Amino acid sequence: MTIPKHCDVLIIGGGPAGSSAATFLAQAGFKVVVLEKSTFPRNQVGESLIPHIWKFTDALGVSEKLKNEGFIAKSGGITAWNGKFSQILFSDYGYTRPGLHVERDIFDNLLLEHSKQNGAQVFHEVTVKKVDFANSQNPLVEFIDKRGAENHYGEIRCSYLIDASGHSSFLANQFESRETISHEYNFLSLWGYFKNSRFPGVDRHSHAIEQLNTVKPVTFVMSFQHGWIWHIVLREKTSVGLVVRANSVKGMNKQQREVFFQQVCASEPYLSELLAPATFIEGSLQHRPDYSYYSKQISGENYYCIGDAAAFVDPIFSHGVQNAFYNASLASLAIKESFKNPANRARYSKLCASRMQQFYGFSRALSLGDFGCNGVNRDLVKSLMKSMPLMELELMLVAAQMTDRSDNFKQLAKEAGVWEGFTAQSRVGEPLGIETLNF
């Protein structure tokens, strides 16, 4: 299929943010083109999703496909943090649908295929090289088409551009607007996969992988000397990741990072018990630097940066895909309104940027306790707390008590006037005793 010369909306990247925006806009009747540099399905880290995602997948019309795919239903989470053990179950907070443990290669491909079925044109193995904004009405996107035996250079004009390029943050790099957060909070991740790991269940016991069909699993998160660890059981393997301070693995090559990863997995309590019968999948270890960053420039009259292309926050509370869905819905709405009322497109862009920054600030305050700096506006965060549906806010306020990284988030909740009522009515029990966690 030939890449057209013109389109209404050009989207860089076909991950959850890009594919969702493509679906929303194609459903509205716009000519949408997605340029994705990879071939799907692509390798991505296994991920845990919270129940908040369903309202977005319902709007996209993709919920039934997700259910039919048979991803593992996640009932909640258990944390082991500095000797304090806590459990959260979504059903305790009024959620009737579960979270999910998903293989991101399958999940992302399903979403992108859904966008195609809704009318978006998707081109794989096409790398965007530059965006020229000289014509403010119609940006010119330059790309390299790598689908054939030889590379071909091409151009496409669009009315609006969405950067959903993920960690590569295409426009932020072109604008030189990307900032990595302060050294104290500078993290990176290492993750890999295991076969036949045990998994934690809602009963706070570990179970053999054969029991996945009979025991409801939860996500397990624990702190350790250098940062924190996730354990997410998937259908045929288990994702284990370390989020560590960058200086703890500074100067390590790939082999040394794998040695470090294996040593942590074998030595940390609870994790080592879960992995005792497991086998590491050779070659599965991956590395991602610059874990927490943001762009100082996430939208303009004819462009929007969404998902990880705009900012990335340590996903200790599984906010990554939710952020992607939320950003996609906001940017799509702003673009729809801009087509209707072109004279107001600058206003729509600013409103969209404010809402996206608000949500990024909320996530960062929750996971890093880092507000009032690094691109976070505390007044926006408090405003969001006041306006959130009670069920969603309560779950996040409970999560804030499960680690020692959310003191500032709790302070914001107090300033917003939502903390006192929450603590008076909260269903949060006492922290679990160590004897109740039997892995």
Side-chain angles (χ1 to χ4, degrees), residues 104-407:
R104 279 288 304 278
D105 53 348
I106 299 172
F107 178 80
D108 289 9
N109 190 56
L110 188 153
L111 293 177
L112 190 57
E113 287 297 312
H114 183 69
S115 74
K116 290 165 65 176
Q117 292 161 10
N118 279 272
Q121 291 182 275
V122 178
F123 300 90
H124 295 275
E125 298 183 70
V126 179
T127 302
V128 174
K129 301 302 293 183
K130 181 183 176 181
V131 180
D132 184 351
F133 289 98
N135 182 334
S136 62
Q137 296 298 316
N138 299 103
L140 180 66
V141 179
E142 302 174 15
F143 60 83
I144 302 177
D145 188 345
K146 302 179 179 180
R147 291 177 295 168
E150 297 181 358
N151 292 345
H152 294 278
Y153 290 81
E155 299 175 343
I156 177 173
R157 284 200 179 275
C158 58
S159 298
Y160 293 92
L161 175 74
I162 293 179
D163 180 8
S165 59
H167 182 257
S168 62
S169 304
F170 181 83
L171 282 183
N173 283 313
Q174 179 172 310
F175 296 152
E176 298 182 348
S177 63
R178 176 169 155 149
E179 297 283 341
T180 301
I181 68 168
S182 59
H183 178 72
E184 181 183 358
Y185 293 109
N186 192 0
F187 289 85
L188 58 79
S189 64
L190 302 169
W191 72 87
Y193 295 93
F194 291 81
K195 282 278 191 181
N196 299 317
S197 170
R198 296 180 68 81
F199 70 92
V202 293
D203 57 0
R204 302 190 292 276
H205 289 258
S206 73
H207 300 272
I209 196 69
E210 292 79 14
Q211 294 179 276
L212 261 180
N213 292 327
T214 56
V215 177
K216 294 180 179 179
V218 296
T219 301
F220 179 59
V221 174
M222 62 177 287
S223 64
F224 79 121
Q225 177 185 359
H226 301 289
W228 65 275
I229 298 169
W230 78 68
H231 179 284
I232 301 172
V233 63
L234 303 170
R235 288 174 288 187
E236 297 182 357
K237 57 188 178 182
T238 295
S239 171
V240 176
L242 315 181
V243 178
V244 302
R245 295 191 184 278
N247 57 14
S248 64
V249 294
K250 186 177 181 179
M252 290 186 184
N253 59 31
K254 183 177 180 180
Q255 183 177 5
Q256 291 168 328
R257 288 195 297 265
E258 182 163 332
V259 170
F260 173 78
F261 178 83
Q262 296 270 30
Q263 287 175 341
V264 170
C265 291
S267 62
E268 289 298 320
Y270 309 113
L271 178 65
S272 58
E273 281 88 343
L274 289 171
L275 296 178
T279 302
F280 179 67
I281 300 176
E282 294 297 329
S284 68
L285 187 70
Q286 296 178 67
H287 164 241
R288 178 169 172 171
D290 297 334
Y291 213 56
S292 291
Y293 59 84
Y294 67 97
S295 173
K296 294 180 292 184
Q297 189 174 339
I298 61 175
S299 73
E301 290 191 15
N302 51 18
Y303 71 86
Y304 294 82
C305 301
I306 65 175
D308 290 356
F312 187 85
V313 178
D314 183 344
I316 189 168
F317 297 112
S318 302
H319 265 195
V321 171
Q322 183 189 358
N323 264 328
F325 283 147
Y326 180 70
N327 290 177
S329 63
L330 285 176
S332 299
L333 178 60
I335 289 173
K336 291 176 192 177
E337 293 303 312
S338 295
F339 272 114
K340 293 178 186 177
N341 302 288
N344 292 330
R345 63 180 189 165
R347 177 172 174 266
Y348 298 139
S349 171
K350 289 178 181 178
L351 286 171
C352 182
S354 176
R355 291 293 179 264
M356 289 194 290
Q357 288 169 341
Q358 185 179 57
F359 201 89
Y360 283 125
F362 181 94
S363 297
R364 181 169 286 124
L366 181 62
S367 63
L368 297 175
D370 182 19
F371 64 90
C373 61
N374 289 323
V376 176
N377 184 314
R378 71 188 276 159
D379 289 331
L380 284 177
V381 174
K382 289 189 288 186
S383 176
L384 178 60
M385 288 179 170
K386 293 176 183 178
S387 63
M388 285 181 71
L390 180 61
M391 185 168 68
E392 294 186 14
L393 176 63
E394 186 178 28
L395 182 61
M396 293 298 99
L397 292 173
V398 171
Q401 299 190 95
M402 297 176 71
T403 76
D404 62 1
R405 299 175 64 180
S406 299
D407 287 346

